[in-house]
Amino acid sequence: MTDIKGRIEEANQQAVRRMVAGDPVLVDVAPAGEVIPAFADGKKRILHSGPPVRWDQMCGAQRGSAVGVALFEGWARTPEEAQELLASGEVEVEPNHPHRAVGPMAGTISPSLPVFVVENRAFGNRAFCRPVEDRQQFGDFGPEAVGILCRWRDLFGPALGAALRASGGLSLKPLIARALEMGDELHNRQVAASALLANALAVPLVEAGLPQEQLLATLRLLVHHPVFFLGPAMAAAKSIADPARGIPYSTVVTAMARNGFEFGIQVSSLEGEWFTAPAPRVEGLLFPGYKAEDAGLDMGDSAITETVGWGAFVLGGAPGILSLVGGTVAQALAYTREMREITVGVHPDLRLPALDFQGIAVGIDVRKVLRSGSAPIIDTAIAHRDPGHPKIGAGLVRAPLECFRKALVRFAEKHELARVG
């Protein structure tokens, strides 16, 4: 047992070393069909958030979002036609994570939709995330929701891609460090990061020689979108987490993702396997006009931010978000300190002023989660239980402990252990 414990400890330290060494650079915004290999065969395919899920299992919001994408791509003329295509299997659905991609809420990505391209220059891997908005990714498939995707395809995506390619890319690690010090938690609160990104991209956009109408539209989007940075943040987090995959004996979590039906985690040494439990209900605040029974269950790949130590793990440094998700400053600080009990190490470069500039906690250890009984906490948005609605609220949720129990049992089976402690 002593030998296996030593191997696990060393493997987990290696996983954390790889995460903190991550150097994410935003290099492009490009159509998913041009950069994500899953679309190379030309088939009608939609990537989605969370672990694998069949069409007949999908929650209402994810179904609605998929219908919106089918209309956007021109695969169907009406929502009814789109649902028939998806139910028949003519449009395939697959999870984002195996394709180095992530997406907020329903997480739907299709070939024509632009994605942020982030390159981790410490390891050479790339990751992708779709843009963030408050309608289609929540299940709304109406004309306004589909119109947002069209503006990203025709205006914003090409403009941002041209600016980034011409500038050679934008290093995100310094920007993330400053945003954490300015009160962001980089999941639901991106106010500082979005402003910093807008400042950094303004000159490259002007220098890109864009038509004035396209330039002004893109600048207006950057200036007025307080959570714009969530897309680059998620792609950055994915690019940081992926190099920690596949380390023999490591019990560090490399992904937490939800699809409104199930919550799933992946673990470094158990590469490619999902450990799932029913998706939990989010406790939070709903927008006026909605009631508790309207809310769908937990959904989205955005917990990749908590996977690398951001989001609710640093809630104590981002009290401004409590007006959106609920809770008190004392509770937020308690959550942040609690998460230090289930992680392997701290980040030397990303620090929290609220904790006397201590480094943020990194590397969720499945064993520590089960030993302490403290499940990772996540702050998240809330979608409607039925298709056809925009965002309806936000709140906090805990990852189900059952996912971690299943992962540890599988780890023990793989290594023929009676007990892992």
Side-chain angles (χ1 to χ4, degrees), residues 229-367:
F229 191 75
L230 178 56
M234 288 177 61
K238 175 69 173 166
S239 79
I240 290 168
D242 275 358
R245 290 174 174 268
I247 300 173
Y249 294 102
S250 175
T251 54
V252 164
V253 173
T254 52
M256 296 192 291
R258 318 86 90 201
N259 54 35
F261 176 68
E262 288 184 314
F263 191 116
I265 69 168
Q266 294 190 299
V267 177
S268 177
S269 62
L270 304 172
E271 175 59 7
E273 298 186 49
W274 285 99
F275 304 96
T276 63
R281 184 168 297 282
V282 179
E283 300 294 330
L285 304 175
L286 298 176
F287 297 158
Y290 293 102
K291 47 190 183 301
E293 51 266 40
D294 293 329
L297 302 179
D298 190 26
M299 182 174 70
D301 289 330
S302 52
I304 191 66
T305 58
E306 278 83 4
T307 304
V308 298
W310 312 338
F313 278 45
V314 292
L315 207 59
I321 197 178
L322 298 176
S323 62
L324 178 67
V325 301
T328 66
V329 173
Q331 288 171 331
L333 283 166
Y335 290 140
T336 295
R337 293 190 177 104
E338 179 189 344
M339 294 301 100
R340 302 174 87 82
E341 302 300 316
I342 62 170
T343 41
V344 175
V346 295
H347 202 296
D349 304 317
L350 304 182
R351 300 171 180 274
L352 283 185
L355 293 183
D356 293 327
F357 291 93
Q358 294 179 42
I360 67 170
V362 182
I364 302 166
D365 184 347
V366 169
R367 299 172 308 157

Side-chain angles (χ1 to χ4, degrees), residues 40 69 85 96 117 155 161 219 277 323 333 403 415:
V69 163
L85 276 177
N96 282 315
V117 182
L155 287 174
L219 287 172
S323 62
L333 283 166
C403 300
H415 298 290

